[in-house]
Amino acid sequence: MKRKVISIPAHATLREAAARLVAHHIGMLPVVDEAMHPVGVVALKDLLNLSMPDFVRLVEHLDFVHEFGAVESFIPDAATLARPVKDYMRPVTTVKEECGLLRAFAIMLKHDLHDLPVVDEQGRLTGIASRVDIGTAILATWSHG
């Protein structure tokens, strides 16, 4: 688990969220309240979906599309980027610090998550566990058997 967590307040803009994702080279931002309780998440894929052409959602197989041409450089309009994160965040799934590795991994699989916010007993954000963090911790125990 990573203890240095990059998060964002719910009132921050989508432009600010994008800047944090880029600056810290991360794929998910927990959205927190003033007391550092997670209230949602904004993922890289959520923001990238703002640039995705509508037809992508309608086409079952994209194999025939070799490039998107002019839409490759599409940037959402200023009004969209000025919207607050709370308008785009998804519900957050968390685990407590004492959660077992297999349980945490099962939760990630069930909810199709790559990153999982970790909270303390008071529900405050204390870390982020990735699939790689959890998976390597599980595999590390195999060499002790």
Side-chain angles (χ1 to χ4, degrees):
M1 168 176 85
K2 294 157 194 75
R3 293 249 178 222
K4 183 178 181 211
V5 183
I6 308 300
S7 61
I8 196 159
H11 60 79
T13 66
L14 291 178
R15 185 182 307 275
E16 291 170 295
R20 285 190 194 184
L21 290 168
V22 170
H24 299 284
H25 200 74
I26 55 177
M28 191 262 296
L29 282 171
V31 181
V32 295
D33 64 16
E34 300 79 28
M36 289 302 290
H37 296 106
V39 295
V41 294
V42 173
L44 179 68
K45 69 180 181 178
D46 299 329
L47 297 184
L48 289 175
N49 277 331
L50 294 173
S51 296
M52 197 61 61
D54 288 336
F55 77 85
V56 170
R57 292 172 190 81
L58 303 174
V59 178
E60 187 173 335
H61 300 287
L62 290 172
D63 296 340
F64 70 93
V65 181
H66 298 288
E67 65 177 77
F68 290 113
V71 293
E72 287 281 343
S73 59
F74 175 79
I75 299 171
D77 61 69
T80 299
L81 292 174
R83 305 262 331 246
V85 167
K86 68 180 177 184
D87 291 353
Y88 288 90
M89 69 183 185
R90 288 186 281 132
V92 63
T93 300
T94 64
V95 293
K96 292 194 175 165
E97 291 173 317
E98 62 275 358
C99 180
L101 294 172
L102 282 177
R103 182 172 187 279
F105 191 68
I107 290 168
M108 294 176 97
L109 290 176
K110 179 177 170 126
H111 297 282
D112 192 28
L113 302 171
H114 292 278
D115 298 293
L116 188 60
V118 179
V119 296
D120 63 15
E121 285 297 322
Q122 291 76 40
R124 292 181 303 239
L125 185 65
T126 60
I128 296 285
S130 70
R131 281 191 185 187
V132 173
D133 294 332
I134 293 170
T136 56
I138 292 168
L139 294 181
T141 65
W142 292 10
S143 64
H144 302 297

